[in-house]
mmCIF file of all heavy atoms in Angstrom:
data_model
loop_
_atom_site.group_PDB
_atom_site.id
_atom_site.type_symbol
_atom_site.label_atom_id
_atom_site.label_comp_id
_atom_site.label_asym_id
_atom_site.label_seq_id
_atom_site.Cartn_x
_atom_site.Cartn_y
_atom_site.Cartn_z
ATOM 1 N N MET A 1677 57.365 124.313 94.532
ATOM 2 C CA MET A 1677 58.753 123.879 94.571
ATOM 3 C C MET A 1677 59.163 123.207 93.259
ATOM 4 O O MET A 1677 60.288 123.352 92.815
ATOM 5 C CB MET A 1677 58.981 122.945 95.764
ATOM 6 C CG MET A 1677 60.401 122.456 95.924
ATOM 7 S SD MET A 1677 61.548 123.766 96.431
ATOM 8 C CE MET A 1677 61.065 123.961 98.170
ATOM 9 N N ILE A 1678 58.222 122.506 92.614
ATOM 10 C CA ILE A 1678 58.528 121.867 91.333
ATOM 11 C C ILE A 1678 58.943 122.890 90.288
ATOM 12 O O ILE A 1678 59.918 122.723 89.571
ATOM 13 C CB ILE A 1678 57.304 121.039 90.852
ATOM 14 C CG1 ILE A 1678 56.925 119.985 91.866
ATOM 15 C CG2 ILE A 1678 57.585 120.421 89.498
ATOM 16 C CD1 ILE A 1678 55.592 119.291 91.603
ATOM 17 N N GLY A 1679 58.199 123.991 90.228
ATOM 18 C CA GLY A 1679 58.521 125.039 89.275
ATOM 19 C C GLY A 1679 59.886 125.689 89.545
ATOM 20 O O GLY A 1679 60.620 126.048 88.632
ATOM 21 N N MET A 1680 60.204 125.860 90.821
ATOM 22 C CA MET A 1680 61.497 126.425 91.193
ATOM 23 C C MET A 1680 62.643 125.554 90.738
ATOM 24 O O MET A 1680 63.639 125.998 90.192
ATOM 25 C CB MET A 1680 61.545 126.649 92.706
ATOM 26 C CG MET A 1680 60.534 127.687 93.194
ATOM 27 S SD MET A 1680 60.461 127.726 95.021
ATOM 28 C CE MET A 1680 62.152 128.113 95.471
ATOM 29 N N VAL A 1681 62.490 124.232 90.941
ATOM 30 C CA VAL A 1681 63.530 123.289 90.522
ATOM 31 C C VAL A 1681 63.619 123.271 88.987
ATOM 32 O O VAL A 1681 64.745 123.260 88.398
ATOM 33 C CB VAL A 1681 63.262 121.892 91.074
ATOM 34 C CG1 VAL A 1681 64.246 120.864 90.497
ATOM 35 C CG2 VAL A 1681 63.360 121.871 92.599
ATOM 36 N N LEU A 1682 62.494 123.291 88.304
ATOM 37 C CA LEU A 1682 62.485 123.295 86.846
ATOM 38 C C LEU A 1682 63.218 124.517 86.330
ATOM 39 O O LEU A 1682 64.019 124.373 85.338
ATOM 40 C CB LEU A 1682 61.055 123.289 86.340
ATOM 41 C CG LEU A 1682 60.865 123.349 84.796
ATOM 42 C CD1 LEU A 1682 61.534 122.154 84.149
ATOM 43 C CD2 LEU A 1682 59.383 123.427 84.443
ATOM 44 N N GLU A 1683 63.038 125.642 86.890
ATOM 45 C CA GLU A 1683 63.768 126.838 86.461
ATOM 46 C C GLU A 1683 65.289 126.717 86.654
ATOM 47 O O GLU A 1683 66.048 127.063 85.736
ATOM 48 C CB GLU A 1683 63.266 128.055 87.277
ATOM 49 C CG GLU A 1683 63.891 129.381 86.804
ATOM 50 C CD GLU A 1683 63.288 130.578 87.545
ATOM 51 O OE1 GLU A 1683 62.189 130.448 88.132
ATOM 52 O OE2 GLU A 1683 63.921 131.649 87.533
ATOM 53 N N LEU A 1684 65.706 126.149 87.775
ATOM 54 C CA LEU A 1684 67.135 125.941 88.010
ATOM 55 C C LEU A 1684 67.740 124.929 87.045
ATOM 56 O O LEU A 1684 68.827 125.092 86.506
ATOM 57 C CB LEU A 1684 67.343 125.475 89.436
ATOM 58 C CG LEU A 1684 67.069 126.532 90.538
ATOM 59 C CD1 LEU A 1684 67.113 125.889 91.927
ATOM 60 C CD2 LEU A 1684 68.106 127.687 90.470
ATOM 61 N N PHE A 1685 66.978 123.832 86.762
ATOM 62 C CA PHE A 1685 67.468 122.794 85.851
ATOM 63 C C PHE A 1685 67.528 123.393 84.443
ATOM 64 O O PHE A 1685 68.434 123.010 83.651
ATOM 65 C CB PHE A 1685 66.518 121.610 85.888
ATOM 66 C CG PHE A 1685 66.843 120.636 87.042
ATOM 67 C CD1 PHE A 1685 67.673 121.024 88.088
ATOM 68 C CD2 PHE A 1685 66.337 119.365 87.035
ATOM 69 C CE1 PHE A 1685 67.939 120.142 89.114
ATOM 70 C CE2 PHE A 1685 66.613 118.471 88.083
ATOM 71 C CZ PHE A 1685 67.431 118.888 89.100
ATOM 72 N N SER A 1686 66.573 124.258 84.058
ATOM 73 C CA SER A 1686 66.586 124.860 82.743
ATOM 74 C C SER A 1686 67.827 125.760 82.580
ATOM 75 O O SER A 1686 68.464 125.807 81.521
ATOM 76 C CB SER A 1686 65.303 125.638 82.508
ATOM 77 O OG SER A 1686 64.183 124.793 82.586
ATOM 78 N N GLU A 1687 68.162 126.462 83.639
ATOM 79 C CA GLU A 1687 69.348 127.324 83.624
ATOM 80 C C GLU A 1687 70.606 126.457 83.441
ATOM 81 O O GLU A 1687 71.503 126.821 82.657
ATOM 82 C CB GLU A 1687 69.430 128.115 84.926
ATOM 83 C CG GLU A 1687 70.686 128.991 85.022
ATOM 84 C CD GLU A 1687 70.808 129.629 86.382
ATOM 85 O OE1 GLU A 1687 69.832 129.655 87.142
ATOM 86 O OE2 GLU A 1687 71.946 130.108 86.716
ATOM 87 N N PHE A 1688 70.633 125.328 84.115
ATOM 88 C CA PHE A 1688 71.782 124.425 83.960
ATOM 89 C C PHE A 1688 71.897 123.930 82.547
ATOM 90 O O PHE A 1688 72.980 123.891 81.953
ATOM 91 C CB PHE A 1688 71.635 123.236 84.935
ATOM 92 C CG PHE A 1688 72.670 122.150 84.754
ATOM 93 C CD1 PHE A 1688 73.902 122.280 85.314
ATOM 94 C CD2 PHE A 1688 72.369 121.030 83.995
ATOM 95 C CE1 PHE A 1688 74.879 121.276 85.140
ATOM 96 C CE2 PHE A 1688 73.327 120.045 83.817
ATOM 97 C CZ PHE A 1688 74.569 120.167 84.401
ATOM 98 N N ALA A 1689 70.761 123.538 81.962
ATOM 99 C CA ALA A 1689 70.773 122.961 80.592
ATOM 100 C C ALA A 1689 71.259 123.977 79.579
ATOM 101 O O ALA A 1689 71.819 123.564 78.519
ATOM 102 C CB ALA A 1689 69.386 122.455 80.237
ATOM 103 N N ARG A 1690 71.035 125.277 79.805
ATOM 104 C CA ARG A 1690 71.500 126.275 78.846
ATOM 105 C C ARG A 1690 73.015 126.404 78.848
ATOM 106 O O ARG A 1690 73.607 126.894 77.861
ATOM 107 C CB ARG A 1690 70.880 127.649 79.186
ATOM 108 C CG ARG A 1690 69.403 127.718 78.865
ATOM 109 C CD ARG A 1690 68.897 129.163 78.972
ATOM 110 N NE ARG A 1690 68.889 129.690 80.318
ATOM 111 C CZ ARG A 1690 67.868 129.571 81.176
ATOM 112 N NH1 ARG A 1690 66.750 128.922 80.797
ATOM 113 N NH2 ARG A 1690 67.928 130.038 82.383
ATOM 114 N N THR A 1691 73.676 125.953 79.902
ATOM 115 C CA THR A 1691 75.128 126.062 80.021
ATOM 116 C C THR A 1691 75.823 124.762 79.753
ATOM 117 O O THR A 1691 76.939 124.732 79.160
ATOM 118 C CB THR A 1691 75.487 126.547 81.441
ATOM 119 O OG1 THR A 1691 74.796 127.761 81.720
ATOM 120 C CG2 THR A 1691 76.978 126.793 81.543
ATOM 121 N N ALA A 1692 75.220 123.652 80.168
ATOM 122 C CA ALA A 1692 75.866 122.322 80.106
ATOM 123 C C ALA A 1692 75.974 121.867 78.653
ATOM 124 O O ALA A 1692 75.148 122.194 77.791
ATOM 125 C CB ALA A 1692 75.117 121.330 80.927
ATOM 126 N N GLN A 1693 77.009 121.064 78.397
ATOM 127 C CA GLN A 1693 77.188 120.442 77.090
ATOM 128 C C GLN A 1693 76.770 118.973 77.221
ATOM 129 O O GLN A 1693 77.508 118.101 77.629
ATOM 130 C CB GLN A 1693 78.639 120.518 76.662
ATOM 131 C CG GLN A 1693 79.135 121.966 76.533
ATOM 132 C CD GLN A 1693 80.534 122.009 75.929
ATOM 133 O OE1 GLN A 1693 80.742 122.031 74.719
ATOM 134 N NE2 GLN A 1693 81.514 122.066 76.827
ATOM 135 N N ILE A 1694 75.506 118.724 76.816
ATOM 136 C CA ILE A 1694 74.912 117.386 76.883
ATOM 137 C C ILE A 1694 74.997 116.756 75.509
ATOM 138 O O ILE A 1694 74.510 117.329 74.541
ATOM 139 C CB ILE A 1694 73.455 117.495 77.403
ATOM 140 C CG1 ILE A 1694 73.451 118.153 78.792
ATOM 141 C CG2 ILE A 1694 72.792 116.144 77.441
ATOM 142 C CD1 ILE A 1694 72.080 118.480 79.306
ATOM 143 N N VAL A 1695 75.585 115.548 75.495
ATOM 144 C CA VAL A 1695 75.920 114.936 74.190
ATOM 145 C C VAL A 1695 75.437 113.480 74.152
ATOM 146 O O VAL A 1695 75.196 112.895 75.206
ATOM 147 C CB VAL A 1695 77.447 114.957 73.926
ATOM 148 C CG1 VAL A 1695 77.930 116.406 73.833
ATOM 149 C CG2 VAL A 1695 78.180 114.182 75.008
ATOM 150 N N PRO A 1696 75.229 112.932 72.964
ATOM 151 C CA PRO A 1696 74.868 111.519 72.893
ATOM 152 C C PRO A 1696 76.000 110.622 73.327
ATOM 153 O O PRO A 1696 77.178 111.033 73.290
ATOM 154 C CB PRO A 1696 74.496 111.322 71.398
ATOM 155 C CG PRO A 1696 75.239 112.400 70.686
ATOM 156 C CD PRO A 1696 75.280 113.583 71.645
ATOM 157 N N ASP A 1697 75.662 109.362 73.668
ATOM 158 C CA ASP A 1697 76.691 108.424 74.099
ATOM 159 C C ASP A 1697 77.782 108.223 73.052
ATOM 160 O O ASP A 1697 78.930 107.895 73.345
ATOM 161 C CB ASP A 1697 76.063 107.070 74.456
ATOM 162 C CG ASP A 1697 75.490 107.056 75.844
ATOM 163 O OD1 ASP A 1697 75.872 107.910 76.675
ATOM 164 O OD2 ASP A 1697 74.640 106.209 76.121
ATOM 165 N N GLU A 1698 77.437 108.394 71.782
ATOM 166 C CA GLU A 1698 78.388 108.166 70.696
ATOM 167 C C GLU A 1698 79.555 109.127 70.779
ATOM 168 O O GLU A 1698 80.603 108.842 70.173
ATOM 169 C CB GLU A 1698 77.689 108.331 69.342
ATOM 170 C CG GLU A 1698 76.663 107.238 69.022
ATOM 171 C CD GLU A 1698 75.404 107.316 69.796
ATOM 172 O OE1 GLU A 1698 75.081 108.434 70.295
ATOM 173 O OE2 GLU A 1698 74.709 106.264 69.959
ATOM 174 N N HIS A 1699 79.416 110.207 71.495
ATOM 175 C CA HIS A 1699 80.520 111.142 71.644
ATOM 176 C C HIS A 1699 81.749 110.497 72.307
ATOM 177 O O HIS A 1699 82.867 110.901 72.058
ATOM 178 C CB HIS A 1699 80.054 112.345 72.486
ATOM 179 C CG HIS A 1699 81.069 113.448 72.610
ATOM 180 N ND1 HIS A 1699 81.332 114.309 71.573
ATOM 181 C CD2 HIS A 1699 81.840 113.804 73.655
ATOM 182 C CE1 HIS A 1699 82.244 115.173 71.972
ATOM 183 N NE2 HIS A 1699 82.604 114.890 73.213
ATOM 184 N N LEU A 1700 81.490 109.453 73.119
ATOM 185 C CA LEU A 1700 82.620 108.807 73.795
ATOM 186 C C LEU A 1700 83.543 108.114 72.793
ATOM 187 O O LEU A 1700 84.768 108.093 73.003
ATOM 188 C CB LEU A 1700 82.071 107.789 74.799
ATOM 189 C CG LEU A 1700 83.114 107.009 75.590
ATOM 190 C CD1 LEU A 1700 84.068 107.915 76.345
ATOM 191 C CD2 LEU A 1700 82.461 106.002 76.528
ATOM 192 N N LYS A 1701 83.011 107.606 71.723
ATOM 193 C CA LYS A 1701 83.885 106.956 70.732
ATOM 194 C C LYS A 1701 84.864 107.924 70.154
ATOM 195 O O LYS A 1701 86.057 107.577 69.920
ATOM 196 C CB LYS A 1701 83.013 106.311 69.630
ATOM 197 C CG LYS A 1701 83.800 105.429 68.678
ATOM 198 C CD LYS A 1701 82.919 104.626 67.788
ATOM 199 C CE LYS A 1701 83.700 103.693 66.890
ATOM 200 N NZ LYS A 1701 82.831 102.857 66.029
ATOM 201 N N GLU A 1702 84.435 109.107 69.895
ATOM 202 C CA GLU A 1702 85.342 110.139 69.375
ATOM 203 C C GLU A 1702 86.401 110.509 70.398
ATOM 204 O O GLU A 1702 87.559 110.716 70.066
ATOM 205 C CB GLU A 1702 84.529 111.403 68.975
ATOM 206 C CG GLU A 1702 85.325 112.505 68.348
ATOM 207 C CD GLU A 1702 85.959 113.460 69.350
ATOM 208 O OE1 GLU A 1702 85.325 113.690 70.390
ATOM 209 O OE2 GLU A 1702 87.059 113.975 69.091
ATOM 210 N N ILE A 1703 85.983 110.558 71.703
ATOM 211 C CA ILE A 1703 86.978 110.844 72.749
ATOM 212 C C ILE A 1703 88.051 109.791 72.807
ATOM 213 O O ILE A 1703 89.252 110.075 72.856
ATOM 214 C CB ILE A 1703 86.233 110.961 74.111
ATOM 215 C CG1 ILE A 1703 85.370 112.240 74.168
ATOM 216 C CG2 ILE A 1703 87.213 110.947 75.288
ATOM 217 C CD1 ILE A 1703 84.509 112.330 75.413
ATOM 218 N N LEU A 1704 87.610 108.514 72.766
ATOM 219 C CA LEU A 1704 88.574 107.434 72.864
ATOM 220 C C LEU A 1704 89.514 107.377 71.686
ATOM 221 O O LEU A 1704 90.638 106.882 71.776
ATOM 222 C CB LEU A 1704 87.849 106.084 73.035
ATOM 223 C CG LEU A 1704 87.048 105.918 74.322
ATOM 224 C CD1 LEU A 1704 86.204 104.618 74.272
ATOM 225 C CD2 LEU A 1704 87.942 105.898 75.531
ATOM 226 N N GLY A 1705 89.073 107.876 70.558
ATOM 227 C CA GLY A 1705 89.911 107.837 69.351
ATOM 228 C C GLY A 1705 90.980 108.890 69.354
ATOM 229 O O GLY A 1705 91.882 108.877 68.486
ATOM 230 N N ARG A 1706 90.954 109.823 70.329
ATOM 231 C CA ARG A 1706 91.906 110.951 70.316
ATOM 232 C C ARG A 1706 93.162 110.692 71.148
ATOM 233 O O ARG A 1706 94.059 111.498 71.190
ATOM 234 C CB ARG A 1706 91.223 112.215 70.811
ATOM 235 C CG ARG A 1706 90.303 112.820 69.778
ATOM 236 C CD ARG A 1706 89.889 114.242 70.155
ATOM 237 N NE ARG A 1706 88.795 114.278 71.082
ATOM 238 C CZ ARG A 1706 88.869 114.764 72.289
ATOM 239 N NH1 ARG A 1706 90.010 115.230 72.798
ATOM 240 N NH2 ARG A 1706 87.785 114.806 73.101
ATOM 241 N N GLY A 1707 93.239 109.525 71.846
ATOM 242 C CA GLY A 1707 94.432 109.265 72.604
ATOM 243 C C GLY A 1707 94.122 108.663 73.971
ATOM 244 O O GLY A 1707 93.154 107.936 74.139
ATOM 245 N N THR A 1708 94.957 108.969 74.927
ATOM 246 C CA THR A 1708 94.873 108.323 76.261
ATOM 247 C C THR A 1708 93.802 108.989 77.148
ATOM 248 O O THR A 1708 93.673 110.216 77.186
ATOM 249 C CB THR A 1708 96.248 108.398 76.953
ATOM 250 O OG1 THR A 1708 97.186 107.655 76.188
ATOM 251 C CG2 THR A 1708 96.202 107.809 78.355
ATOM 252 N N VAL A 1709 93.087 108.145 77.869
ATOM 253 C CA VAL A 1709 92.040 108.616 78.804
ATOM 254 C C VAL A 1709 92.246 107.931 80.140
ATOM 255 O O VAL A 1709 92.879 106.886 80.247
ATOM 256 C CB VAL A 1709 90.604 108.352 78.270
ATOM 257 C CG1 VAL A 1709 90.386 109.088 76.968
ATOM 258 C CG2 VAL A 1709 90.360 106.851 78.135
ATOM 259 N N VAL A 1710 91.617 108.547 81.176
ATOM 260 C CA VAL A 1710 91.626 107.924 82.484
ATOM 261 C C VAL A 1710 90.158 107.818 82.942
ATOM 262 O O VAL A 1710 89.411 108.777 82.909
ATOM 263 C CB VAL A 1710 92.402 108.770 83.509
ATOM 264 C CG1 VAL A 1710 92.307 108.148 84.931
ATOM 265 C CG2 VAL A 1710 93.870 108.917 83.094
ATOM 266 N N PHE A 1711 89.759 106.612 83.390
ATOM 267 C CA PHE A 1711 88.438 106.420 83.946
ATOM 268 C C PHE A 1711 88.578 106.573 85.472
ATOM 269 O O PHE A 1711 89.366 105.919 86.113
ATOM 270 C CB PHE A 1711 87.938 105.001 83.674
ATOM 271 C CG PHE A 1711 87.450 104.802 82.248
ATOM 272 C CD1 PHE A 1711 88.343 104.485 81.242
ATOM 273 C CD2 PHE A 1711 86.092 104.931 81.932
ATOM 274 C CE1 PHE A 1711 87.914 104.289 79.949
ATOM 275 C CE2 PHE A 1711 85.650 104.728 80.639
ATOM 276 C CZ PHE A 1711 86.541 104.430 79.640
ATOM 277 N N GLU A 1712 87.766 107.479 86.012
ATOM 278 C CA GLU A 1712 87.784 107.778 87.448
ATOM 279 C C GLU A 1712 86.429 107.344 88.077
ATOM 280 O O GLU A 1712 85.413 107.896 87.715
ATOM 281 C CB GLU A 1712 88.073 109.249 87.662
ATOM 282 C CG GLU A 1712 88.068 109.678 89.137
ATOM 283 C CD GLU A 1712 88.299 111.183 89.279
ATOM 284 O OE1 GLU A 1712 88.327 111.885 88.268
ATOM 285 O OE2 GLU A 1712 88.461 111.639 90.464
ATOM 286 N N SER A 1713 86.498 106.436 89.024
ATOM 287 C CA SER A 1713 85.242 105.917 89.603
ATOM 288 C C SER A 1713 84.999 106.581 90.963
ATOM 289 O O SER A 1713 85.870 107.221 91.552
ATOM 290 C CB SER A 1713 85.314 104.386 89.755
ATOM 291 O OG SER A 1713 86.347 104.070 90.684
ATOM 292 N N SER A 1714 83.805 106.327 91.491
ATOM 293 C CA SER A 1714 83.455 106.784 92.843
ATOM 294 C C SER A 1714 83.407 105.606 93.771
ATOM 295 O O SER A 1714 83.305 104.444 93.359
ATOM 296 C CB SER A 1714 82.081 107.480 92.826
ATOM 297 O OG SER A 1714 82.049 108.563 91.911
ATOM 298 N N GLN A 1715 83.448 105.888 95.063
ATOM 299 C CA GLN A 1715 83.299 104.867 96.112
ATOM 300 C C GLN A 1715 84.382 103.813 96.036
ATOM 301 O O GLN A 1715 85.419 103.987 95.407
ATOM 302 C CB GLN A 1715 81.914 104.261 96.030
ATOM 303 C CG GLN A 1715 80.774 105.232 96.189
ATOM 304 C CD GLN A 1715 80.533 105.650 97.599
ATOM 305 O OE1 GLN A 1715 81.436 105.790 98.413
ATOM 306 N NE2 GLN A 1715 79.249 105.865 97.968
ATOM 307 N N GLY A 1716 84.144 102.642 96.663
ATOM 308 C CA GLY A 1716 85.154 101.549 96.664
ATOM 309 C C GLY A 1716 84.481 100.217 96.444
ATOM 310 O O GLY A 1716 83.251 100.064 96.651
ATOM 311 N N VAL A 1717 85.254 99.225 96.046
ATOM 312 C CA VAL A 1717 84.688 97.928 95.675
ATOM 313 C C VAL A 1717 83.963 97.286 96.873
ATOM 314 O O VAL A 1717 82.956 96.575 96.665
ATOM 315 C CB VAL A 1717 85.799 96.996 95.167
ATOM 316 C CG1 VAL A 1717 85.280 95.605 94.888
ATOM 317 C CG2 VAL A 1717 86.418 97.552 93.907
ATOM 318 N N LEU A 1718 84.433 97.513 98.086
ATOM 319 C CA LEU A 1718 83.771 96.936 99.266
ATOM 320 C C LEU A 1718 82.402 97.521 99.543
ATOM 321 O O LEU A 1718 81.663 97.074 100.398
ATOM 322 C CB LEU A 1718 84.672 97.019 100.497
ATOM 323 C CG LEU A 1718 85.989 96.284 100.392
ATOM 324 C CD1 LEU A 1718 86.764 96.419 101.683
ATOM 325 C CD2 LEU A 1718 85.824 94.817 100.018
ATOM 326 N N LEU A 1719 82.046 98.601 98.810
ATOM 327 C CA LEU A 1719 80.739 99.214 98.892
ATOM 328 C C LEU A 1719 79.897 98.925 97.669
ATOM 329 O O LEU A 1719 78.817 99.481 97.494
ATOM 330 C CB LEU A 1719 80.890 100.756 99.049
ATOM 331 C CG LEU A 1719 81.686 101.240 100.258
ATOM 332 C CD1 LEU A 1719 81.799 102.754 100.192
ATOM 333 C CD2 LEU A 1719 81.066 100.792 101.564
#
Side-chain angles (χ1 to χ4, degrees):
M1677 181 68 74
I1678 300 170
M1680 294 170 60
V1681 173
L1682 178 60
E1683 184 176 341
L1684 291 170
F1685 278 14
S1686 299
E1687 178 186 345
F1688 173 82
R1690 288 192 292 271
T1691 305
Q1693 299 187 87
I1694 300 171
V1695 297
D1697 278 341
E1698 290 74 22
H1699 186 73
L1700 179 57
K1701 188 170 184 178
E1702 184 272 327
I1703 290 174
L1704 294 173
R1706 284 194 277 116
T1708 298
V1709 300
V1710 178
F1711 285 85
E1712 179 182 6
S1713 65
S1714 303
Q1715 302 281 37
V1717 176
L1718 298 182
L1719 302 176

